[in-house]
Every structure is written in C-alpha cells, then in structure tokens.
C-alpha cells in the first residue's frame, strides 16, 4: 500500500466525486433507483448538482441502461467484475477512470447530501490522517459515504476476490477516520431504499 503523507493538505479541487448507481434496483422493482423521479426529475440530477459543487469532477458508476444515464453525464463507468457485486465493485472500478489521488463516494438515492460534505471529510482527515474517511451521523457509521485514497484500490480488489463484499466489513478491516456529522439534519444520510420512499414525490409532468 502506498503510504499516505500524514502532513498532506487535501483540497477539494483535487478530489473526484463518484456516485454509486451500479445496482440492479432489486429493492425498487428492478428499476434504476437513480432515475426514479424526485420533484419531477430523476433523483440523480440533484445529487450530481450537490456533489459537483464540492469537487473537481464527478463520475457515475452504472451497469445497466447506460444510454439513459448519458443524458445526465458523460463521465460514466461500469464495474470490472460481473454479477452486480455491490458498492465495493463500483469503488474498485472507479480507480481505473479517475485521475485524482482522492475520491469521495456517495450512493445514488440521497438528495439531501450536506453542502459541506466534502470539506468536513477533508477536515476529519487532517485531524486524523488515514486513507479512508467515513461518515458517522451521530448514531452509527455510514460507510457508503466515504473518502478514499487511491492506495486502497488493491485492498478493494483483494476483498472482492475473497467474496468479502460488505463495505462496512472492508472499512473496519483497514485504518479509517470517522467524520462526525452528528449536528446535521436527520435526513442528511437517509437513503431511499424502497419504492414506498418515492410515493410522496412528484411524478414527472
């Protein structure tokens, strides 16, 4: 593993954002969750806007219906591993495309990402430098919201090869820093995991 400089100061303009949207959508009737409507437009759109305002560039990890995603971003990539292995596979594949040494990963079903998400992840790293930084929402860890150094790519590969596909497990097998978001609103890291979650949202006109 490449040693992370303990005194390195990270700036948001050298961080790439990655939205993980590579699942089959099994919890939402095998639809692409990122493309389900949120206030009249796919939920992916506000997430892209929120993350794009905080980082150098944003990529979207997707494995199906790629032509539909092209309407929102040209920065798309798919898992190298076949079989919809989950977020770890998307994180692993990202390093074949992004050019920065640091990336932040977020899921595709939360339009309430804090406006200072990336800056707070950077501050947590500077207080306790580790190659992985994950969110603690004040109640529990939220390992799908993660900042990672490029040096972790091989660790991701090894975990997937072993069939260890839990992001939470992988994080805890490595050195990581917790970024405290206990003072954020209750919906800051509330994902929409079922079709019922979208029922109250407006349908596209």
């Amino acid at each position: 593993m490449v040693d992370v400089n303990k005194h390195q100061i990270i700036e948001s303009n050298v961080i790439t954002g990655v939205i993980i949207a590579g699942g089959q959508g099994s919890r939402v009737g095998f639809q692409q969750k990122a493309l389900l409507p949120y206030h009249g437009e796919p939920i992916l759109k506000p997430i892209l806007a929120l993350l794009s305002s905080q980082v150098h560039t944003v990529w979207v990890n997707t494995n199906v219906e790629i032509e539909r995603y092209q309407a929102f971003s040209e920065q798309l990539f798919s898992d190298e591993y076949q079989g919809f292995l989950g977020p770890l596979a998307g994180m692993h594949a990202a390093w074949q495309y992004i050019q920065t040494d640091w990336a932040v990963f977020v899921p595709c079903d939360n339009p309430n990402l804090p406006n200072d998400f990336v800056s707070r992840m950077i501050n947590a790293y500077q207080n306790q430098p580790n190659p992985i930084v994950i969110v603690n929402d004040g109640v529990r860890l939220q390992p799908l919201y993660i900042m990672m150094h490029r040096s972790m790519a091989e660790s991701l590969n090894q975990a997937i090869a072993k069939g260890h596909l839990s992001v939470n497990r992988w994080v805890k097998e490595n050195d990581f820093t917790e970024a405290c978001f206990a003072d954020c609103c209750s919906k800051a890291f509330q994902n929409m995991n079922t079709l019922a979650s979208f029922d109250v949202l407006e349908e596209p006109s």
Side-chain angles (χ1 to χ4, degrees):
M1 179 184 297
V2 178
D3 184 32
V4 178
N5 186 338
K6 297 294 186 179
H7 302 290
Q8 180 181 10
I9 298 176
I10 306 173
E11 301 291 343
S12 61
N13 62 0
V14 294
I15 297 178
T16 297
V18 180
I19 300 172
I20 300 294
Q24 298 181 84
S26 58
R27 294 182 178 179
V28 290
F30 292 95
Q31 301 179 69
Q32 284 298 287
K33 192 188 298 184
L35 302 178
L36 289 175
Y38 176 75
H39 294 313
E41 59 189 11
I43 195 171
L44 176 63
K45 192 171 181 179
I47 300 172
L48 270 169
L50 280 166
L51 196 54
S52 295
S53 68
Q54 300 182 52
V55 296
H56 175 267
T57 189
V58 177
W59 285 81
V60 180
N61 164 233
T62 181
N63 292 307
V64 298
E65 300 188 53
I66 294 175
E67 66 284 351
R68 294 183 64 195
Y69 283 91
Q70 289 173 340
F72 303 97
S73 176
E74 296 179 354
Q75 306 281 81
L76 305 174
F77 70 91
S78 298
D79 297 353
E80 293 187 359
Y81 287 93
Q82 302 300 309
F84 299 98
L85 300 184
L88 276 188
M91 294 175 184
H92 167 262
W95 295 111
Q96 305 302 314
Y97 296 87
I98 63 178
Q99 298 180 348
T100 57
D101 285 336
W102 287 93
V104 290
F105 298 85
V106 300
C108 68
D109 57 357
N110 175 17
N112 301 306
L113 192 71
N115 292 324
D116 60 351
F117 169 68
V118 173
S119 63
R120 292 172 71 147
M121 298 293 270
I122 292 171
N123 288 340
Y125 167 82
Q126 291 173 342
N127 289 329
Q128 184 184 0
N130 278 307
I132 300 171
V133 181
I134 64 170
V135 166
N136 186 322
D137 65 7
V139 177
R140 63 187 181 92
L141 299 179
Q142 295 279 359
L144 295 183
Y145 298 85
I146 184 169
M147 185 172 80
M148 187 190 311
H149 188 262
R150 178 178 293 277
S151 60
M152 300 308 299
E154 180 55 31
S155 176
L156 288 166
N157 187 48
Q158 292 173 2
I160 296 168
K162 295 175 184 176
H164 296 172
L165 303 179
S166 164
V167 180
N168 190 51
R169 173 177 177 169
W170 176 76
V171 166
K172 291 180 178 178
E173 289 175 344
N174 293 279
D175 294 328
F176 69 93
T177 294
E178 296 181 25
C180 181
F181 284 79
D183 59 328
C184 285
C185 71
S186 60
K187 294 183 179 181
F189 301 101
Q190 180 177 313
N191 299 347
M192 297 179 176
N193 288 320
T194 65
L195 275 177
S197 302
F198 291 86
D199 286 347
V200 298
L201 304 179
E202 299 175 17
E203 293 293 335
S205 58

